[in-house]
């Protein structure tokens, strides 16, 4: 397993890097965390031959502005986008003409799954809980390949971040 930080800048790109995106390369899946401009570099690190999951923490543009580059990818096992309740409507508002190629016209299959807060088997186990941010934002805890990886971005200190991170 490998974790690659594709973008770590908040708000906007700078000489130090792109806006937010990270990649977990697991045995059977590639898992992308957020879709800031860093997501455009994902194909440097993955074969695109495994199922790809994209978890969106929230819809601030520095976490979603890279969605317009999805059309460049060739995810041969498809892309499963996961996020909090309301993700489907927010995606439909953002990833559409005339701004970019809509998800139903990219050259691979895309599914969108809205996750209630709590634990889900996706087939790997993921727990999502709300964080502290001006807009609804979810943190994620992944249990996969015998490891625990927690992704809590854009939050103040809160009990949920601690719950998600325990033992990670
Ligand atoms: Zn934010």
């Amino acid at each position: 397993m490998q974790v690659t930080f594709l973008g770590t800048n908040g708000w906007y790109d700078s000489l130090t890097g792109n806006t937010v995106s990270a990649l977990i390369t697991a045995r059977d899946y590639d898992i992308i965390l957020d879709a800031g401009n860093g997501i455009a570099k994902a194909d440097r690190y993955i074969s695109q031959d495994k199922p790809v999951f994209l978890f969106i923490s929230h819809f601030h543009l520095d976490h979603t502005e890279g969605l317009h580059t999805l059309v460049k990818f060739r995810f041969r096992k498809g892309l499963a986008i996961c996020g909090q309740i309301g993700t489907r409507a927010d995606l439909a508002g953002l990833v559409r003409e005339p701004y970019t190629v809509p998800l139903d016209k990219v050259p691979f299959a895309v599914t969108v799954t809205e996750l209630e807060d709590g634990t889900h088997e996706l087939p790997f186990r993921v727990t999502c809980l709300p964080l502290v941010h001006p807009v609804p934002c979810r943190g994620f805890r992944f249990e996969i390949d015998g490891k625990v990886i927690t992704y809590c971005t854009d939050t103040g200190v809160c009990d949920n971040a601690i719950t998600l991170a325990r033992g990670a």
Side-chain angles (χ1 to χ4, degrees), residues 58 60 62-63 133 135 154:
H58 67 301
H60 274 159
D62 54 337
H63 294 253
H133 202 43
V135 300
D154 289 34

Side-chain angles (χ1 to χ4, degrees), residues 52-63:
V52 178
F53 288 78
L54 168 60
F55 287 82
I56 298 178
S57 63
H58 67 301
F59 274 81
H60 274 159
L61 285 174
D62 54 337
H63 294 253

Side-chain angles (χ1 to χ4, degrees), residues 84-104:
Q84 61 192 298
I85 302 300
T87 290
R88 190 170 286 110
D90 286 337
L91 279 172
L94 189 61
V95 188
R96 68 176 182 92
E97 292 169 336
Y99 311 117
T100 189
V101 178
L103 293 175
D104 60 359

Side-chain angles (χ1 to χ4, degrees), residues 5 13 15 22 34 36-38 47 53 65 92-94 110 114 139 142 146 150:
F5 293 95
D13 291 349
L15 290 176
D34 277 335
N37 283 325
S47 66
F53 288 78
E65 63 193 331
L94 189 61
V110 179
E114 297 187 348
F142 302 93
T150 295

